[in-house]
Amino acid sequence: MRIVHVANFYGPSSGGIKTTLHELGRGYLKYGHEFIYIVPGPRYIKEQTPFGLKITLPSFTLPASGGYQIIRSNKQLLNLLEFLNPDRIEVSDRFTLLKVGRWAKQHKVASLVFSHETLNGLVKKYAPLIPVSFRNRFVNWHNRKLAASFDTVIATTEFAAAEFVRIKTTNLRKVALGVDLQGFKPENRDHKLRKELLKGAEYLLVHCGRMSPEKEPARSVQAVSELVKAGVNVRLIIVGGGPLWNKIRKQSLGLPIEMLGYVASREKVAGYLAAADIAIAPGPLETFCLSALESLASGTPVVASKSSAVGEILNINSIRPAGAVASDNGADFAIAIKQLLNKGRLRKVAREQAEKFSWANTVDAMLDVHGAKQPMITTKRRLKVA
């Protein structure tokens, strides 16, 4: 089976979408399928990768996005799809790639779209003055249009699915994403690195994610400020770059905060996550939050926004959750962090929770959506790289 995945917002510093593409590709290839992923880039390029054939199409960069790119020509994209003749199409962009779903229906190719974002949350965040009734009508209209354009809508959590459940979407499927349980593990904790990062502090906190408005990185800075006022001897390291980097750096002045910028090495990121006592995931719009799951896999409990899907991942309503949730303000985050620190070690709980989310499970669920359960269909045709 030839599976083609089209994704915008993919790039050198993109996190969750890039990881998802690579892990899906790796899994599909393992079962004998052919995987081709089409992403934005500087020009037309084809290259074989360990995750399948990667094709980049000329793109433009979204202003003030920190480098996010979008494929420039849908016409070129659709011509390429016609040439590739896929058996299945996957899309990671609920906003600019609706034409791909319509093309797939016209050509009788099964298609699915990942709803990686909460449209209701984005509209509320970036257009807060719009009346609630109008916002709900707009969100419902767009989500109906999205669901009608593709055969299947994939939501990664109940939180992500909620706005589709509200309009009684009949082609909705829930597929949880996974985490690299070998690359991120408690054994990565390096006590020498931890000591270097602490710089004499008692507790080490980590924030790993893009410095962009929807991620609310300032919340982590505010939480540290509140903890310092309360006499808690903490130090925060921030891993990630983005359009708010300079603003966050200025807000961090005078506080025990170190900004490391974007870190390309997954091994280094894994080391930072394992070294910390608590990871902070303040984004209120997260529909999954891969960095939070990577923290859990590293044995590090998470404090997350009560407004996001991360509480589901933490199993927050269980007897012993793998972290805590807080209201969307620095003071409440500081209280949750302090309470979690007082609870003692939760490294085993965090790791056990992460182990429920493997990429093998994700790939198996996706192949079920594609109607390709084991035994898998061996690919009979390959696209040669020019």
Side-chain angles (χ1 to χ4, degrees), residues 57 71-82 99 103:
L57 292 180
I71 293 169
R72 183 180 300 156
S73 170
N74 276 337
K75 183 178 179 181
Q76 184 183 24
L77 171 60
L78 297 182
N79 287 338
L80 176 60
L81 288 176
E82 192 149 358
K99 286 186 177 179
W103 179 92

Side-chain angles (χ1 to χ4, degrees), residues 25 42 64 90 104 117 123 147 165 194 206-207 217 223 264 276 286 299 320 322 362 382 385:
E90 301 177 347
E117 305 86 9
V123 174
V165 172
R194 176 176 162 82
V206 62
H207 173 118
E286 297 289 355
R320 202 171 187 213
T362 304
R382 295 282 177 182
V385 181

Side-chain angles (χ1 to χ4, degrees), residues 99-365:
K99 286 186 177 179
V100 174
R102 291 194 284 268
W103 179 92
K105 284 185 178 293
Q106 290 169 3
H107 290 77
K108 295 181 171 50
V109 178
S111 66
L112 63 84
V113 60
F114 282 89
S115 181
H116 289 293
E117 305 86 9
T118 162
L119 181 56
N120 188 58
L122 289 172
V123 174
K124 187 177 179 180
K125 168 73 176 176
Y126 291 104
L129 300 180
I130 293 179
V132 174
S133 59
F134 181 82
R135 182 180 76 218
N136 288 340
R137 286 199 300 271
F138 170 75
V139 170
N140 291 345
W141 168 81
H142 179 85
N143 285 338
R144 287 191 182 99
K145 186 178 179 181
L146 181 74
S149 298
F150 293 87
D151 294 322
T152 307
V153 176
I154 301 291
T156 55
T157 54
E158 297 294 340
F159 175 82
E163 60 190 46
F164 292 96
V165 172
R166 185 175 68 191
I167 59 173
K168 297 179 172 58
T169 301
T170 57
N171 57 337
L172 177 68
R173 293 282 296 269
K174 181 186 168 186
V175 176
L177 300 181
V179 64
D180 179 0
L181 293 168
Q182 295 301 314
F184 295 88
K185 54 189 176 183
E187 290 78 10
N188 287 332
R189 175 170 277 210
D190 183 327
H191 292 281
K192 181 180 178 182
L193 173 63
R194 176 176 162 82
K195 186 176 180 180
E196 291 173 357
L197 295 171
L198 278 168
K199 290 183 167 53
E202 185 177 359
Y203 301 110
L204 183 64
L205 310 178
V206 62
H207 173 118
C208 184
R210 278 179 57 79
M211 301 291 103
S212 53
E214 74 279 4
K215 302 288 187 181
E216 294 288 356
R219 194 84 70 234
S220 295
V221 176
Q222 295 161 3
V224 169
S225 178
E226 295 292 332
L227 288 166
V228 169
K229 290 176 187 176
V232 184
N233 189 11
V234 300
R235 185 169 185 83
L236 170 68
I237 58 167
I238 298 178
V239 181
L244 294 183
W245 197 89
N246 286 328
K247 182 178 181 180
I248 298 301
R249 182 177 59 83
K250 290 177 182 178
Q251 293 175 350
S252 302
L253 293 176
L255 292 170
I257 296 175
E258 182 176 357
M259 297 188 67
L260 303 181
Y262 172 70
V263 178
S265 168
R266 285 170 60 83
E267 289 77 14
K268 286 186 177 180
V269 172
Y272 295 140
L273 294 179
D277 296 295
I278 290 175
I280 310 176
L285 306 181
E286 297 289 355
T287 55
F288 197 79
C289 194
L290 184 60
S291 66
L293 196 48
E294 290 171 345
S295 299
L296 296 182
S298 303
T300 302
V302 176
V303 174
S305 168
K306 190 182 291 183
S307 305
S308 77
V310 181
E312 291 180 44
I313 296 170
L314 300 178
N315 201 14
I316 203 66
N317 295 319
S318 66
I319 297 174
R320 202 171 187 213
V325 294
S327 298
D328 294 323
N329 62 78
D332 209 49
F333 262 82
I335 291 170
I337 291 168
K338 190 175 179 181
Q339 289 175 343
L340 207 57
L341 288 172
N342 291 336
K343 281 186 177 180
R345 297 173 68 84
L346 290 173
R347 293 181 65 77
K348 184 179 179 182
V349 175
R351 175 65 188 189
E352 287 175 351
Q353 182 61 19
E355 287 173 352
K356 299 175 183 178
F357 297 86
S358 71
W359 280 115
N361 288 342
T362 304
V363 170
D364 185 60

